Each structure stands twice: as structure tokens, then as C-alpha cells.
Amino acid sequence: MRRVRLVPCLLAAGLVFLWAPVLLLVGFAFSADRIPFQWGGFSLRWFTTLAANERLIEAAWLSLRVAAGAATLATLIGGVAGFALARWGAFRGRALFGALIGATLVLPEVVTGLAMLLLFVTLEAAIGWPAGRGALTVLLAHATLGAAYVAVVVQARLAGNERMLEEAAMDLGAGPAAAFRTITLPLMAPALAAGWLLAFTLSFDDLVIASFVSGPAGTTLPVLVFSALRLGLTPEINALGAIILALAALCVGLAVLLMRARWLEGGGEGG
Amino acid sequence: MRRWLVLFPAWVWLLGFVAAPTVILLGIALGSSAEGVPPFRWPIGPGFAWQGGFGNFATLFEDEFYRDSLWRAVRLAASTAALTLLLGFPMAFAIARARSGWRAPLLALVLLPFWTGFLLRMGAFIGLLRDQGLVNAALIGLGFIQEPLQLLYTEGAMLAGMVHAYLPFAVLPLYATLSRLDPMLEQAAADLGAGPVAAFLTVTLPLALPGVVAAFLLVFIPAAGEFVIPELLGPSDALPVGRVLWQEFFQNRDWPMAAALAIALLALLIVPIRLFQRTS
Amino acid sequence: MAPLLLEVRGLSRRFGAAVALAPLDLAIEAGEFFALLGGSGSGKSTLLRLIAGLEAPDGGSLLLEGRDITRDPPWARPIHMMFQSYALFPHMSVAENIGYGLRRAGVRGAEQARRIDEVLALVRLKGFGARRPHQISGGQKQRVALARSLVMRPKLLLLDEPLAALDAGLREQTGFELRALQRATGAAFVMVTHDQGEALALADRIAVLEGGRLMQVGAPADVYARPASAFVARFLGAANVVEAAHLSLSPAEPGAAAYALRPERIRLTPNGATTGANAIAGHVRDVAFRGDATLFVVALDGGGELRVMVPADDPMPIMGERVALAWDADDLVPLAA
């Protein structure tokens, strides 16, 4: 009996620990006081200051473009890779293929960042591409990381009994191409969308890899926020936090709607 | 043949952007630093003359500073993983045993902070813990203390930030394991005379062990290379390998030494990584 | 005899070292309801998938109305299959599911709609066209899967355990409906099942498979009455399989080492005495009330046991009581090993 009460209490404590900093950050974004986390009456002044901060707007815009590009590239590559892993059984080189994807997932960020930078430097010395470091190199590095995540999400989605659905389609007269287009692709779509969102988030939130592979021309939002945070918290960052939380809530809401798409529930039938 | 063609871009990508960087990393770790752009010499010079060596790795083992950085990383990762499990297990257990309509929203509440910007959450900790921060203000206001406590830039702040950042990684695999456990098993244990604690220790915990191991490793592996949280919240002498690597690279511009540290970190993680891949 | 529809000639399939199907011959007639009966690993599902083209055989050939279709891919065969858990496309409505094959065949517009409506009426699902698969019951899903295949007007329809996913209460009725649909469409049905009751009740002919081999083919009544081997007799479950050594046989029955003897063919006399051949004594070891009859398990004096079905009105022995058993010589069916 005692445990029954203790366990939910610990859950509540854990949730408070997780959410209190986030919610306080957002709440104090609306404080007029110049010192962060100090209430000086309701005000939107920090949002106005934020809007006037050109370096920050520029970095945010760059981060958005890089994240969108990296997520799209990651979805293309990772989608194909995840499909192959789920459907093609023991194709030639599968072990190496899977290991490379797995390695991408578990390598510490500092290692990935450093290795990526060294690759770009070496490539530039050898073939002159990519010339210098900036948005392109960040995008390529983020797409690599994202592709591995997309591959795993897609593979998990296709690992169910959908093989049988493709067989049913072929039995009803669909060739492999038609079966892929009419059955497999629609079934993969939610995983591709979820994978895209995940890759976007990873890219948009990444500081370490971006710090290594971005030159002065590639200052993304996290790189800028990090250099500010090293000196301490400012109310502008509070305001930025509020905006990002709102955007994240929007994205997550969208993702939930996608995952709740009615036919997904039907996808689990049989066995 | 057609399959090969479809997979060709993915192969090029993986070999070019995953395999090649790792090989280059190893190569440069065997090289030496030099004046110039880029600031290093390859281990194989013009005319395929060998000019590399294991000097960086020798330094790494001889110099207490580097050796300690690896040891600190292990300690930091292990204590983070242990604390995360301690908090994450009851949370996952409570969610797994909640009424079915509650489970998905509760799980979402645990996972959502992951999407709210990692740096911003660390910023919030700075706001809470600094000398004039909310926690000190509250403690003074309640009369517990007169002078503000040094909370920020301490081991405690660093660990709090680490647990905060990695908690979702632990709860997810724990929940996956615990939600598959039949609550009937505990009832059966109770029916056979086990009290709640005994039932938990003899039935639930052993069955949840794979999830516990997976959660520990899922936190331990990335935490061992962590740089940002020690930098923002930890004391200036908390220098795990991630932070030392960063300094070698960005401040000392000793790229080969940074590469050697990266290889050392990988070597350190190879066992946990293999273990993790076996369990999942 | 009806014309030959499908001829299976020496068809075989192995997975690695395991033989899923030893070279096997079989002929399916036009318009018949054929059941492939066997346990798991018997090769019945492999045979079905080979006929559908979802597996490639290692050897042998398939002839559909005399034409070799062994190398044809599944989408080019005029054979359709109802999958075990139905494999309804979750992202399409019932009508879209049923129209899938028609669209692949280029049947569109009003003609497509007419054929969908027609087959929806046939399976009593009028008005369900707009529903999604997860919005209908298990029995309705089964009928949608059936309709999706039937709308293609196949000469041969393959059914993989068509009743297995249904509740017990629904199974008998659905079986009758399946039978009626088969007669109405005139298609040949080949059904895979592990349930001997289902096979005996529905099929015109059954084939019993075991370990990738064909054990016996015939009409249900024949296979039931005259099982060819001890395996078939045991699998059909109804008959006693007794070793010759346990029966006091007249020497007129040479050869067979074991016999099948159906429980309802044995006469039981409480406290009776045995006389002559085709009779034996023992005592009652178990009793199970079965409503219209009572099942007795009788331990024979000479070793072994026999199950005996006694009609409700007959005198009943009690547990442990000595009984005499007797049967007609005709009822002893000699079995191959």
C-alpha cells in the first residue's frame, strides 16, 4: 500500500524537476525587470528587444534553413536506408551498412563534430570542396546525424506485418513498383514525417557539432546562445525560450496529430 | 543490381560522412601539430614518408591532466546515469501502472522538454541557481539562510543539469520494459506470500533488468562525452574529457591532441557501446 | 468428373536445410472446395504461397488450365488469396480496399463502383464501403478480405486459415457462408486449415499434409471412415488407433500392425462376458458426459485402451466397473504405419 502512494509522488517530483526550469524561464520572459528571473511587472519589452537584435534574428534564420535542409536530406537518405534494412533481408554489405548507421547514433557529439571538421578540412585540401566552413558544412554534418535517426524510425515502422500487405497488393495485381507506391509509401509516410521532425529538432538544437564545423559565416542560433550564456543569463534569452517553447509545442502538436492519424491504429491489426 | 543502384547514394553518404571521418580522425591523432592552416601535419608526409607516431597517445597516458579527464568523464557519466535511473525508474513505473488513458499524456510530459531547447533549459538553471537566483532568493526569503549559497558552478549544479538533460533518455527504455510486464505477476507473487517490497525485488526488478541496463547505457554513453553542461554549470576545475578536448581544439589549437582524446574517449566507450547494441 | 483447374506437379520447396515441401503432386478441379489440412510445419501454408506465387518453388511446376504458370509473378496470376489476418490496407476505406485489384487491372469509374457494390451486397456489407478497416468487427473484416478477392472473379481462390481469427461462436455460421459464397461464385476454393472439424465440414475434398508430404487425399467421409495411416487417423482425432497386439483378432486379418476403430462403432456391455473374435474385456478408467452420448475410456486387460461412445439411453457402467466390448469385423480399418 505504501509503495502505491510513494511511486506517484516520485513521478510528480520528477515532472516538477523537469518542468519547473522550463516554465519559470517562459514565465519570467514576460517580466519587465532587467535581471532575469526577477519579477518587475508584466511587459513584452524583451520580445521587442529580441526582435531588434539583428545578429540573433540572422542566426535564427540560418538555423531554420540549415535544420530544414538537413532534415530533408536526412529523410531522403535515411528513408531509403531504413526501407532497405527493414525489407531487403541480408543484402550484401548489410552488416557494415547497419554498423555505420549504429555508429552515427552512439558516437559522442564532440567526437562526431571533430571528425566531421577534419573530414571537411581534408576534403578542401584534396579537392577544394567544400570551400571554407559555414552553413553548408553544418547542413551536411546535421544531415548525416539525422539520416541515422530517420533510418531507425523508418525501419521500426516497417518491421511490423506490412510485408503481408505488400504481398496482398501483389496478389491483387500490383507489380513491385505499384505495390511500393500504393501501399508501402503511404505506410511509411508517418515515419518519414516523424523522422523529418526529429532530424529538424536535432539540427536546430545542436551546439557541439555546429561549433566544430561552422566557420564565422555559420553562426547558428545555439552557437550564439551558448556564447551569451557563458557570460550569464539575459532576459532576451528568456524571451527566446518562450518563443522556442511555443514553436516546439506547435511542432509536437502537429506530430501528435500525424501519429494519431486514424489509419495508424488500424495498422497494428493481425499478427 | 537495381537494389544496389537504389542504395548507392546511401552507401556513398555513409562511407563518405561516417566511415571516412573516423579514419581521418585516427590518422590525425597519429600526426603532430604544426604552425599553419590547417594546424597539423599528417602522419604520412610527401613521398609517403612516415612522419607520424604515437606521441599524442603517450602524452595522454603520461600526463595526469589528460588521464584524469578520462577518469572524470567516467565518474560524471556513471553518477549521472545512476541518479537518472534512481529518479527515472519510479517515474517509468508510475506511468506504466497508471490508468491507460493517462499513460500517453504522462509519457509525453516526460519527453516533451527534449524539444524545448537544451541550451535554454541550461539557461534556466543558471537563472535559478546563481547567487541572486530564484533558489537563493527563496531560501533567504524563508529565513533559512542570510547569505546566498554558492549553487551555480558547483558539482551539484552540474549533476542537476545532467540529470535534467538525460532523464527522458532513461525513462523511455524503462517504460518500454515496465509496460510490457504483466501486473498479474506481482499479484501472483502477493498471492504466494510476498509483500509489496518482496514482490518488487523478486519479480518486477529482475524482469525489468534489461530495461535498467539499456537505460543506464543510453545515458552513460552520451554523458561521457558531455561538454556543454560542465562548461555552463560546473566548477571551472570540472574538466571531463569532452571539455578538455574542446579546449585543446579551440583554445590550444592542438588538433592532433584533440583527435587523440577523441580516440581515447571512443576506446573508453567501446565496451558500453557494444553492450548497448547487444541489449537493444 | 469436373474439368481439371490446377495441376501441381512435383512441386518442392526447402528453406535452407529444412524441407518445407517434398516433391508433391495434386490436382484441383474446377469449382470444388478443397481443404489442405495439417499441423504447423506440415507444409500447407508453403503450398498455398507457392500456388499464389508469393514463394518460388525449388522444383516442379504449376499448371493452370493446362498453362504453365510456375514462373509467373503473383501479380500476373489469375489466382487470388485471402490472407490469414486479412491484410486489409489500413490507409484505405473498405470500398478502396475492394477496388484495389480492379484499379490495378484498369477497371475504373462507374464499372468499378458497380462491381464493388455488387460484391459488397454478396458479402452482406452494403453501406459499409466508406468505413475504415479499424472501424469494423473481426467478422466484417473477414468478409471484406473475401470480397476484395472475389471482386476479381478468380477461378481459384486461396484462403489461409479463413476462420482462425474469428470468435468460436462466429466460426460455424461463417463457415456456412463461405460454403454458400463458393457455390454462388462457382470459383474453386483452396483452404488451408489446422482444424479437422472445419475441413471435414466445409470441403468437397481434403488433403492431409505432414512434414511437407501428402498423407491422404479424398472426400471427407472417406478419409474419416478409412484413414490410410495411423497419422491420419490420429490427426482426424475421432478414431481409436489400436495396435494389433492389443486386440484379440481373428487370424483372417493379416498384415496391419495397427487398426482404426471408431468409438461409436463399439458396443459396450456392463459386466458382460466376451465371446469369440472382435470382442475384448476391460474396466472403465474415465467417464466424460457429452450430452447426446457419454464417452468411456476403457483400459483393456491385454494392455492399451479404447474410447467408447455410448448413446444416452443405453445402460451405463460406473468408474472401475468391468465391461465387455465388441464390434463388427468391417469396422476395423487397417492402417499403414
Side-chain angles (χ1 to χ4, degrees):
Chain A
M1 275 313 278
R2 249 176 40 228
R3 191 167 47 88
V4 175
R5 252 177 249 142
L6 179 67
V7 166
C9 281
L10 283 168
L11 174 61
L15 287 176
V16 168
F17 173 66
L18 276 177
W19 280 99
V22 177
L23 294 178
L24 287 169
L25 183 82
V26 172
F28 281 104
F30 299 93
S31 161
D33 205 295
R34 158 176 311 281
I35 301 170
F37 280 66
Q38 201 124 297
W39 189 251
F42 181 85
S43 160
L44 294 174
R45 63 183 282 204
W46 301 115
F47 291 92
T48 328
T49 330
L50 197 66
N53 187 337
E54 269 175 40
R55 278 190 65 209
L56 201 136
I57 301 290
E58 209 173 294
W61 177 232
L62 179 73
S63 270
L64 280 175
R65 281 180 304 161
V66 165
T72 307
L73 207 53
T75 307
L76 286 173
I77 298 160
V80 172
F83 175 81
L85 285 173
R87 279 290 185 276
W88 289 352
F91 61 87
R92 192 123 59 98
R94 186 199 162 100
L96 177 65
F97 195 82
L100 288 175
I101 287 175
T104 315
L105 295 174
V106 294
L107 282 187
E109 287 174 309
V110 281
V111 177
T112 309
L114 179 60
M116 279 282 174
L117 171 79
L118 296 176
L119 171 79
F120 291 137
V121 168
T122 309
L123 273 181
E124 192 185 9
I127 60 170
W129 180 91
R133 271 148 329 271
L136 176 67
T137 46
V138 179
L139 189 149
L140 289 172
H142 284 173
T144 304
L145 188 64
Y149 280 89
V150 174
V152 169
V153 172
V154 167
Q155 187 190 359
R157 171 81 184 116
L158 288 177
N161 60 346
E162 274 95 29
R163 174 79 239 173
M164 199 177 58
L165 296 177
E166 283 158 32
E167 285 182 349
M170 290 189 191
D171 183 72
L172 290 165
F180 181 81
R181 185 171 46 79
T182 56
I183 306 298
T184 318
L185 200 58
L187 289 170
M188 271 168 76
L192 290 175
W196 190 92
L197 271 177
L198 189 61
F200 182 93
T201 312
L202 286 170
S203 168
F204 194 72
D205 209 24
D206 169 70
L207 163 72
V208 174
I209 296 172
S211 295
F212 277 101
V213 300
S214 72
T219 305
T220 59
L221 191 58
V223 172
L224 196 71
V225 170
F226 178 65
S227 59
L229 277 180
R230 274 177 137 163
L231 305 174
L233 187 66
T234 65
E236 277 186 352
I237 293 178
N238 274 28
L240 183 66
I243 292 171
I244 292 198
L245 186 75
L247 286 179
L250 200 76
C251 280
V252 168
L254 219 72
V256 168
L257 280 181
L258 267 170
M259 296 311 242
R260 279 270 169 91
R262 296 188 303 185
W263 48 271
L264 253 185
E265 293 160 35
E269 71 179 66
Chain B
M1 199 54 221
R2 273 220 331 250
R3 286 184 172 187
W4 228 101
L5 223 61
V6 172
L7 221 47
F8 187 71
W11 268 116
V12 169
W13 193 277
L14 285 175
L15 291 174
F17 290 118
V18 182
T22 316
V23 173
I24 292 172
L25 186 73
L26 191 62
I28 290 174
L30 297 174
S32 52
S33 70
E35 293 295 315
V37 177
F40 64 87
R41 284 197 309 170
W42 284 95
I44 296 169
F48 294 97
W50 177 254
Q51 56 185 29
F54 291 88
N56 294 313
F57 290 101
T59 314
L60 212 151
F61 282 110
E62 283 157 15
D63 193 324
E64 210 178 332
F65 176 69
Y66 295 121
R67 241 178 17 220
D68 273 5
S69 76
L70 287 168
W71 173 235
R72 281 199 205 97
V74 171
R75 258 192 347 226
L76 175 64
S79 35
T80 302
L83 286 172
T84 323
L85 270 182
L86 223 52
L87 183 56
F89 193 97
M91 291 175 75
F93 191 72
I95 298 172
R97 289 286 182 274
R99 256 175 281 148
S100 62
W102 280 86
R103 271 174 236 151
L106 282 173
L107 201 61
L109 273 181
V110 173
L111 300 181
L112 276 185
F114 178 71
W115 270 278
T116 57
F118 160 71
L119 279 173
L120 296 164
R121 285 184 283 143
M122 293 308 119
F125 270 97
I126 295 175
L128 284 169
L129 298 178
R130 71 205 164 90
D131 288 358
Q132 298 82 37
L134 215 53
V135 173
N136 269 322
L139 290 175
I140 292 172
L142 292 169
F144 288 120
I145 50 172
Q146 266 74 51
E147 291 295 304
L149 296 170
Q150 167 80 40
L151 296 173
L152 192 59
Y153 309 127
T154 61
E155 294 271 338
M158 179 169 74
L159 279 176
M162 292 289 280
V163 172
H164 193 267
Y166 288 103
L167 191 57
F169 291 86
V171 172
L172 205 58
L174 286 172
Y175 172 77
T177 308
L178 288 170
S179 64
R180 276 198 298 268
L181 285 190
D182 189 350
M184 221 69 113
L185 293 173
E186 280 163 50
Q187 291 171 22
D191 182 67
L192 295 166
V197 174
F200 178 81
L201 290 178
T202 55
V203 176
T204 312
L205 198 58
L207 287 170
L209 209 58
V212 172
V213 172
F216 186 92
L217 294 171
L218 200 58
V219 174
F220 184 91
I221 293 165
E226 184 61 51
F227 151 74
V228 184
I229 298 170
E231 176 80 14
L232 287 180
L233 304 179
S236 56
D237 63 345
L239 288 165
V241 65
R243 214 169 160 191
V244 172
L245 192 160
W246 187 279
Q247 285 180 355
E248 288 298 333
F249 183 84
F250 285 101
Q251 279 144 41
N252 302 346
R253 287 184 57 81
D254 189 343
W255 291 18
M257 193 64 218
L261 281 167
I263 298 290
L265 175 57
L266 277 188
L268 198 73
L269 287 179
I270 201 81
V271 171
I273 285 174
R274 293 300 301 161
L275 216 63
F276 175 70
Q277 286 170 340
R278 191 94 47 87
T279 55
S280 56
Chain C
M1 182 175 143
L4 210 57
L5 180 66
L6 179 82
E7 221 178 320
V8 177
R9 283 189 189 163
L11 210 60
S12 68
R13 177 79 169 117
R14 45 174 65 240
F15 296 107
V19 177
L21 205 65
L24 179 142
D25 296 294
L26 195 66
I28 309 289
E29 293 160 17
E32 77 170 327
F33 198 133
F34 194 92
L36 295 169
L37 178 62
S40 64
S42 63
K44 59 188 194 304
S45 293
T46 303
L47 178 55
L48 204 71
R49 289 173 62 83
L50 285 168
I51 297 173
L54 297 171
E55 302 274 351
D58 293 323
S61 56
L62 278 166
L63 277 75
L64 187 70
E65 295 180 312
R67 192 171 66 81
D68 191 330
I69 59 161
T70 319
R71 302 272 152 239
D72 288 359
W75 54 90
R77 297 185 187 198
I79 296 173
H80 296 292
M81 173 145 157
M82 192 186 123
F83 287 76
Q84 180 169 7
S85 42
Y86 314 138
L88 297 182
F89 306 131
H91 57 304
M92 296 182 191
S93 69
V94 165
E96 284 165 346
N97 261 285
I98 295 173
Y100 186 86
L102 295 175
R103 287 195 294 281
R104 298 279 82 72
V107 180
R108 287 170 192 277
E111 170 68 3
Q112 188 193 133
R114 193 185 59 73
R115 291 209 14 206
I116 293 172
D117 282 347
E118 191 182 278
V119 78
L120 274 175
L122 190 67
V123 297
R124 299 186 297 105
L125 283 174
K126 253 189 169 149
F128 281 78
R131 303 260 189 114
R132 296 266 169 169
H134 70 95
Q135 294 172 313
I136 58 179
S137 72
Q140 289 165 340
K141 278 184 197 162
Q142 193 254 13
R143 282 183 276 153
V144 173
L146 203 55
R148 190 173 68 176
S149 300
L150 285 176
V151 78
M152 302 303 290
R153 296 177 183 158
K155 288 196 168 130
L156 178 58
L157 180 65
L158 309 173
L159 305 103
D160 191 359
E161 299 275 5
L163 306 177
L166 298 175
D167 294 339
L170 212 56
R171 235 172 264 166
E172 188 181 71
Q173 186 207 344
T174 311
F176 284 128
E177 286 175 5
L178 217 52
R179 193 67 243 235
L181 277 172
Q182 189 262 334
R183 288 211 189 90
T185 55
F189 277 23
V190 174
M191 168 179 85
V192 152
T193 178
H194 66 277
D195 183 323
Q196 69 281 1
E198 222 170 273
L200 294 171
L202 297 178
D204 297 317
R205 287 197 304 149
I206 62 179
V208 182
L209 282 99
E210 164 65 8
R213 278 163 221 287
L214 198 57
M215 305 304 282
Q216 193 173 2
V217 186
D222 293 341
V223 178
Y224 184 79
R226 300 258 148 211
S229 64
F231 173 81
V232 174
R234 284 205 188 90
F235 193 81
L236 291 180
N240 292 293
V241 176
V242 268
E243 286 170 46
H246 291 151
L247 300 170
S248 51
L249 294 170
S250 54
E253 299 276 359
Y259 293 86
L261 180 55
R262 284 155 62 189
E264 67 272 22
R265 297 294 180 151
I266 304 175
R267 294 182 298 275
L268 179 147
T269 320
N271 294 312
T274 52
T275 46
N278 295 318
I280 203 162
H283 65 273
V284 175
R285 185 148 80 201
D286 262 314
V287 184
F289 178 62
R290 290 274 174 89
D292 54 346
T294 301
L295 179 75
F296 290 91
V297 179
V298 177
L300 305 179
D301 291 349
E305 59 181 40
L306 279 175
R307 287 174 300 141
V308 182
M309 199 71 91
V310 179
D313 311 334
D314 285 14
M316 302 280 172
I318 55 168
M319 280 286 279
E321 191 174 339
R322 289 202 57 76
V323 292
L325 307 176
W327 54 85
D328 294 336
D330 291 351
D331 291 326
L332 269 187
V333 181
L335 298 172

